[in-house]
Amino acid sequence: MVKKRLLPPSLGVTLIEMMIVVAILGILASVGPLLLKNVTRFYRLNAARLETVRDARNCLTQINQALRQATASTIVISQESGQPPYSTIFAQTVDSRSLKFYQSGNKLNFVQNASTVTISENLRYIAFTYPRTDDSTILSVSVTFEKKTYEGQTKAIQMAIEKVRIMN
């Protein structure tokens, strides 16, 4: 004889199991936004770091290439009005072209024969100096770039290039 069930089969879930599932879902729901925020912060910081490094290298390469063509006796290091000291350099090349790099706020500008080009818009500070007083053919260039990242924070990177040799 076959026995018939009068009650439907149970789901097999006890109250304790349901409480454990709800607790796990609560923990995941509370950790999820924090994890997403940290991943976003990491991505933006990493992107800002890469952009500032690329920007600094490009600027230093352009400055190095231009100043190598300058005549050492025509180099003048100064500052624009309201800008940091030693943040402007002016020089003449052998073929009488005028070169000028200068800081204007957070921009690094390059002027060649009265044509101005903005090289970077993430500049915090640039300084041109002579590392040795006995040799006017060697210049030192130091730059600091910064980029806004996340929640009002900024990522800054400082790079220096020593011994830009003036060839003429």
Side-chain angles (χ1 to χ4, degrees):
M1 167 186 249
V2 178
K3 292 184 180 179
K4 292 184 179 181
R5 286 190 173 179
L6 298 174
L7 298 173
S10 73
L11 297 174
V13 178
T14 64
L15 180 60
I16 293 177
E17 290 170 336
M18 284 297 278
M19 289 173 58
I20 291 173
V21 168
V22 169
I24 291 172
L25 288 176
I27 291 170
L28 289 176
S30 66
V31 171
L34 182 60
L35 182 63
L36 182 62
K37 181 180 177 181
N38 287 338
V39 167
T40 303
R41 179 180 295 142
F42 172 78
Y43 171 76
R44 289 188 180 172
L45 282 172
N46 195 36
R49 181 182 57 82
L50 291 174
E51 188 175 331
T52 54
V53 167
R54 183 189 64 222
D55 207 12
R57 285 184 180 158
N58 288 339
C59 290
L60 288 173
T61 299
Q62 288 182 10
I63 291 169
N64 194 2
Q65 288 174 352
L67 291 179
R68 284 179 175 270
Q69 300 172 10
T71 305
S73 62
T74 63
I75 293 177
V76 177
I77 298 173
S78 63
Q79 73 186 65
E80 297 291 310
S81 177
Q83 296 303 313
Y86 314 111
S87 61
T88 299
I89 190 165
F90 175 82
Q92 293 277 340
T93 62
V94 176
D95 54 354
S96 299
R97 289 180 293 133
S98 62
L99 305 173
K100 179 180 179 183
F101 289 94
Y102 68 97
Q103 180 175 356
S104 177
N106 64 342
K107 295 180 182 179
L108 177 59
N109 295 317
F110 173 53
V111 180
Q112 183 173 355
N113 294 330
S115 173
T116 304
V117 177
T118 299
I119 297 175
S120 174
E121 294 186 0
N122 296 323
L123 182 68
R124 180 189 283 179
Y125 181 70
I126 188 165
F128 301 98
T129 58
Y130 287 104
R132 294 177 41 186
T133 58
D134 63 333
D135 192 355
S136 64
T137 64
I138 299 175
L139 283 173
S140 173
V141 182
S142 178
V143 293
T144 303
F145 288 89
E146 72 179 353
K147 175 86 174 147
K148 292 187 179 188
T149 57
Y150 189 67
E151 294 178 341
Q153 300 291 321
T154 60
K155 181 73 174 176
I157 188 164
Q158 196 268 331
M159 296 183 83
I161 183 169
E162 293 288 332
K163 298 183 181 177
V164 175
R165 186 166 296 278
I166 311 302
M167 298 299 195
N168 304 307

